[in-house]
Structure formats: C-alpha cells, structure tokens
Amino acid sequence: MTRLFVSDLHLDASAPDATRQFEEFLRSHAAHADALYILGDLFEVWVGDDDPDAEKARVVRALHELTSSGVACFVIHGNRDFLLGRQFCDRSGCRLLQDPVVIELNGERVLVTHGDALCTDDHSYQELRSSVRTVDWQRRFLSLPFEIRDRFANKARAGSKAHTTRTAPEIQDVNPQAVATAFRVTRVRRMIHGHTHRPGIHDLEIDGEPAQRIVLGAWYEEGSYLAYENGRYELRTLPR
Ligand code: MN
C-alpha cells in the first residue's frame, strides 16, 4: 500500500514551473499510488470554483486524469484555498476531508491537518481565521462578483506577506501545547501536517508515550512529498 501526501504547493500562474512539476508528479508518482492526500494550499489563492484561470484549470484536469484512473485523491482546505468547493470536487474527482481528520493507515489511526490551526501563538492570524471560516462569511463573500473577490484576495495576500515579515518565526510555527492537545483529544500517536513550510519528522513524547509529528515541505523551490510505503514514512524531494 502506497499513500502519498503533499501540501503547500501554492500553485499560481506566476510560477508555471511548479504547476508543470506537479502535473508530472501526478502522472509519475501519484499514478502508481493507492491514494494521494493534498493537505492544503494546493493553490496560492482560490476565491471560488468559478475562477476562469487557465493554469488552475490545468491542475484540475491533471487531478481528474489521476482520479479517473482509479487513484483516490483527498483534499484538505489550506488557509489560501479554503474556498475549494463542490464544483472543484466534481471537476477534479477529489474528495474534500474535514480539517482535522483521523485517517487509517494500515490499521493505525493518523491525524492529518493543514496545520494552521496549530499555530496558536499567532493571535491575529487565528482571529482572521475564525471569521473567514464561518459559513456566513463565506456565503457573503462568494456572492460577490469574481473580480471583487480576486481583488480582495490580492490585498489579503499583501497583508499576509507583511504580517509574515514582521512576525517572529517561532510565532509562526506550531505551538507545542496545541500539538499535545491534538494528540490527546484524538488519541493518535502520529500526525501529518503542512503549512509551516518546515519539513521534518519530529519524535515527541506525549504523556510518557512516543508520538510523531511529520511536517510536509512547500513546493516553492522544489517538489516535496511524504511517502507511506511498506509501513514506513519517508519525506522526499524532487529537484526542479
Ligand atoms: Mn498554509
């Protein structure tokens, strides 16, 4: 059984190389897997399934090619693409999962999440997150014309960039207590997440028991994925 995990591809028309590499990844690596999990921020921005962007349409088509060949593809919302909706799923054949969600890998329960909810030290981000993740906010936002949503997203991205620059790196990482709580509440011993762009496999101890937190890498400079194969987890990079 092979399952692959990616996140934080941040695909965007301004960086076509990453899109090409992801298409290639789907045709080569993912095509031979049993399932692909995309743990958020597949796209740099997604303000609604009616986006006419041609690069995004390419990605959706490539995902459809994969899912129609019989490989299951699961998607979790990231902070950039939490508006991926039903039409995206219909067109790509992907299935949306709740964030967080517990999946089973060879009999082991594993927590998978985008990871932004674990960054509880970043108070202003969490405040923003809790307002834009309500059904009400999203219904109102999606009722605006596409151009207005797009303009809003560009402003939000600029604001987020400025916030990232002036916020200390440790504030933008996961909070250890939030991680411990997630382990306790879900009663798992392993979690997989992205968002922080700090790939690594961290062995921890939660209430005297071993636990593991696996962090996926971003795709800005190279491809990056986690493979679960023959009972082993391995982070791998793909040169661009
Ligand atoms: Mn993110």
Side-chain angles (χ1 to χ4, degrees), residues 5 39 99-103 105 108-115 117-118 174-194 200-204 206 210-216 226 233 235:
F5 299 82
L39 304 191
D99 182 16
V101 67
V102 175
I103 61 170
L105 294 175
E108 185 197 354
R109 294 168 65 256
V110 176
L111 180 66
V112 297
T113 174
H114 178 55
L118 297 169
V174 296
N175 171 288
Q177 273 85 50
V179 169
T181 302
F183 275 120
R184 286 190 191 108
V185 167
T186 55
R187 289 171 287 110
V188 300
R189 283 292 163 258
R190 200 185 316 267
M191 73 164 76
I192 304 170
H193 72 82
I201 299 184
H202 306 276
D203 291 313
L204 325 160
I206 303 291
Q212 194 172 61
R213 180 171 70 90
I214 304 177
V215 188
L216 307 177
L226 171 75
Y233 292 87
L235 279 171

Side-chain angles (χ1 to χ4, degrees), residues 10-14 16 19-20 22-23 26 42-64 80-81 84 88 91-92 146 150 153-154 157:
H10 293 274
L11 300 181
D12 185 62
S14 69
T19 300
R20 301 297 167 277
F22 183 57
E23 290 173 329
L26 293 180
L42 170 62
F43 297 102
E44 171 73 359
V45 61
W46 189 276
V47 291
D49 291 355
D50 54 347
D51 192 330
D53 181 72
E55 281 292 299
K56 289 188 175 104
R58 282 184 72 124
V59 177
V60 171
R61 274 199 303 275
L63 286 167
H64 183 257
R80 302 305 193 99
D81 56 10
L84 286 168
F88 163 79
R91 274 164 33 216
S92 65
F146 176 78
D150 198 40
N154 285 330
R157 277 162 78 199

